């Protein structure tokens, strides 16, 4: 009799969708994060949970060419664009056009001022309405900014 551990090792245990997996193919995800974010996101629990679902999370060094760091199915990065990193991503994508890159560099916009980011939500906020269904009252949802305190650069405790 084959137990679940042996099935998992062979790759034919039921996957997260309940369907049988017929191969041991692992989805390799290269994660490019700033050092301060690595400890927050690539935790042992996160890596273990991902592995249970056939996903290998691997930290990549964003200061070196991706071509020298292995083969990835997905590259997930949470970095602002800079010329070297942008070059490494384009270089890797050219060599591996099948790779999925999350977030695309051309879609990233630097957040210059966190204090103004929620300005549209201040005061009355924004009211959203669900599409009206037959014989039902329209539901409204109000979205407002949470209370924020802005501390000017250079401020001290005495301020």
């Amino acid at each position: 009799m084959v137990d679940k551990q042996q099935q998992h090792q062979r790759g034919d245990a039921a996957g997260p969708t309940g369907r049988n997996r017929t191969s041991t193919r692992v989805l390799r995800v290269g994660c490019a994060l700033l050092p301060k974010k690595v400890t927050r996101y690539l935790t042992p629990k996160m890596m273990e949970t991902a592995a249970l679902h056939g996903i290998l999370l691997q930290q990549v060094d964003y200061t070196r060419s991706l071509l020298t760091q292995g083969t990835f199915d997905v590259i997930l990065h949470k970095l602002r664009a800079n010329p070297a990193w942008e070059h490494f991503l384009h270089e890797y994508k050219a060599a591996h056009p099948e790779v999925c890159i999350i977030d695309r560099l051309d879609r990233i916009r630097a957040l210059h001022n966190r204090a103004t980011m929620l300005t549209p939500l201040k005061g009355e906020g924004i009211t959203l309405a669900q599409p009206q269904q037959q014989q039902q009252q329209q539901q409204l949802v109000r979205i407002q900014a949470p209370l924020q305190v802005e501390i000017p650069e250079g401020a001290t405790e005495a301020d």
Side-chain angles (χ1 to χ4, degrees):
M1 181 171 199
V2 178
D3 67 18
K4 287 186 185 254
Q5 180 66 25
Q6 289 170 326
Q7 285 178 334
H8 181 70
Q9 288 171 348
R10 280 197 340 232
D12 59 1
T17 61
R19 293 179 288 185
N20 283 347
R21 291 171 43 180
T22 57
S23 73
T24 56
R25 179 150 177 358
V26 172
L27 182 71
R28 294 176 46 92
V29 178
C31 301
L33 304 165
L34 292 172
K36 67 182 180 181
K37 296 201 178 199
V38 169
T39 55
R40 187 182 324 159
Y41 294 112
L42 293 182
T43 64
K45 181 67 175 169
M46 173 62 94
M47 295 181 76
E48 178 185 324
T49 301
L52 288 173
H53 290 83
I55 301 169
L56 173 65
L57 299 176
Q58 181 180 338
Q59 181 181 357
V60 297
D61 181 350
Y62 61 90
T63 65
R64 292 185 16 232
S65 172
L66 289 164
L67 293 172
T68 66
Q69 298 186 58
T71 304
F72 304 102
D73 299 296
V74 176
I75 296 173
L76 170 67
H77 71 101
K78 294 297 178 186
L79 302 169
R80 285 189 185 166
N82 69 58
W85 176 242
E86 194 167 337
H87 171 75
F88 296 149
L89 278 175
H90 288 299
E91 175 185 57
Y92 194 86
K93 185 70 171 172
H96 301 280
E98 73 285 356
V99 74
C100 176
I101 297 177
I102 306 169
D103 295 318
R104 288 181 22 195
L105 284 172
D106 62 338
R107 301 290 170 104
I108 295 175
R109 303 289 180 261
L111 181 59
H112 295 289
N113 187 336
R114 290 186 183 273
T116 61
M117 142 179 108
L118 296 174
T119 300
L121 302 177
K122 286 185 177 175
E124 294 296 313
I126 298 173
T127 302
L128 302 175
Q130 291 183 343
Q132 196 165 0
Q133 309 234 340
Q134 290 180 357
Q135 300 174 338
Q136 240 184 345
Q137 288 219 323
Q138 190 174 37
Q139 289 186 327
L140 300 178
V141 178
R142 184 175 307 278
I143 301 172
Q144 294 177 292
L147 179 62
Q148 296 184 49
V149 176
E150 182 176 350
I151 301 173
E153 191 173 336
T156 64
E157 266 188 65
D159 294 337

